[in-house]
DNA sequence: TATATACCCGACTAAAATAGTCAAGTTTTA
DNA sequence: TAAAACTTGACTATTTTAGTCGGGTATATA
């Protein structure tokens, strides 16, 4: 059960922005240098964040990205959803071929996986970006 | 964030056993037919379950597998661990090259992922196989 | 107004993980 | 002794992941 690097880097980069933004745009170059994430990869990630209205961009010299919401308002869940990282531990859709073994009724474990998804989702729903910043051993 | 099919099938197969075992061994062939899981794949899965002492085997005609513990005692977590399905959402080990960006200090998000892992683990720890059997819409 | 900086965007790819299959056994009971 | 059922390691096609690449566009400032 792993989270992909895109989601992880997205959370990392946004946390970085929350720390370093003082009402000014933060460039991906700076984030890349501070957090050791490939600039090209960050661009890909921030395109999605922008499309999903997590950040807004400022082009040109001294440009960069800014958070749309405050860290206190920004749910981690919203970040993950922006990266297509749905919490769906089992790829089961009723009525589709992807349903468990292609049968029409739900299998014996179905409800359990639903419960699991809800359990994980509620974690991401309850946590805000600001919750990460309290960390005492932060590295800049 | 997906769970692999091996873990899913393992839980499914063990739930099937819990339903159909009346102190007798349940053959993989029967589980395969009832649950629609490939017999060859089940064999692979049950080898691991056996090695991890989740089930015991009875060879020969009328053989099969039996649960070592009762469904009420068997934690879902134990099943997942048997399939190498560790709940480790981020592949970060301190002091290894796999640590976040190879630096020596923990990154800003590290503690958050730790919390996440604990949150998910505690779910699997608290749930027993018997918790799945209450399902009313079971398919046999 | 030139130019450097920084965002924008689709396409591409190497490597790893996944989801199985296959072959060739061994053991036990009817 | 034959059939049922477990045992084991190796193999493979497909999918996913984790990026890179190339060629843009917009804008501040010198
Ligand atoms: S039918 Fe949904 S998980 Fe099996
Ligand atoms: S240092 Fe552990 S997740 Fe970054």
């Amino acid at each position: 059960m792993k989270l992909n690097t895109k989601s992880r880097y997205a959370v990392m980069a946004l946390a970085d922005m929350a720390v370093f933004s003082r009402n000014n745009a933060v460039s991906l170059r700076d984030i890349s240098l501070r957090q050791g994430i490939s600039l090209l990869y960050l661009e890909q990630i921030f395109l999605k964040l922008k499309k999903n209205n997590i950040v807004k961009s400022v082009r040109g010299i001294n440009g960069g990205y800014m958070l749309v919401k405050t860290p206190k308002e920004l749910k981690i869940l919203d970040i993950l959803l922006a990266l297509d990282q749905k919490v769906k531990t089992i790829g089961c859709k009723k009525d589709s071929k992807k349903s468990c073994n292609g049968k029409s009724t739900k299998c014996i474990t179905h409800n359990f996986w639903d419960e699991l998804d809800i359990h994980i989702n509620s974690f991401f729903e309850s946590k805000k970006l600001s919750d990460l910043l309290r960390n005492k051993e932060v590295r800049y």
Side-chain angles (χ1 to χ4, degrees), chain A residues 15 31 51 64-66 68 91 96 114 127 131:
Chain A
I31 298 176
K51 268 183 193 151
Y65 288 94
M66 304 179 75
V68 168
S96 94
D114 269 358
K127 293 291 179 177
D131 292 326

Side-chain angles (χ1 to χ4, degrees), chain A residues 17 19-27 30 34 56 58 62-67:
Chain A
M17 284 178 70
V19 170
F20 287 96
S21 164
R22 298 276 176 269
N23 291 336
N24 55 305
V26 180
S27 74
D30 286 352
R34 279 193 296 259
K56 58 192 171 193
V58 180
N62 293 329
Y65 288 94
M66 304 179 75
L67 292 171

Side-chain angles (χ1 to χ4, degrees), chain A residues 14 17 22 25 39-40 45 71 75 90 92 94 98 104 132 140:
Chain A
L14 291 170
M17 284 178 70
R22 298 276 176 269
L39 175 61
L40 291 160
I45 291 166
K75 291 179 205 163
I90 296 291
C92 164
K94 229 167 72 167
K98 283 284 178 189
S104 56
L132 303 193
Y140 298 131

Side-chain angles (χ1 to χ4, degrees), chain A residues 6 45 84:
Chain A
K6 267 183 194 163
I45 291 166
D84 311 315

Side-chain angles (χ1 to χ4, degrees), chain A residues 2-9 83-85:
Chain A
K2 277 197 183 148
L3 201 65
N4 60 20
T5 56
K6 267 183 194 163
S7 303
R8 184 179 108 208
Y9 289 162
L83 274 295
D84 311 315
Q85 186 65 200

Side-chain angles (χ1 to χ4, degrees), chain A residues 23-60:
Chain A
N23 291 336
N24 55 305
V26 180
S27 74
L28 293 188
R29 192 173 156 277
D30 286 352
I31 298 176
S32 168
L33 290 174
R34 279 193 296 259
Q35 302 299 332
I37 305 170
S38 148
L39 175 61
L40 291 160
Y41 208 25
L42 276 177
E43 287 184 346
Q44 212 184 106
I45 291 166
F46 272 74
L47 274 186
K48 295 206 173 199
L49 291 176
K50 190 190 174 184
K51 268 183 193 151
N52 287 277
N53 209 39
I54 309 287
V55 295
K56 58 192 171 193
S57 65
V58 180
R59 299 184 74 153

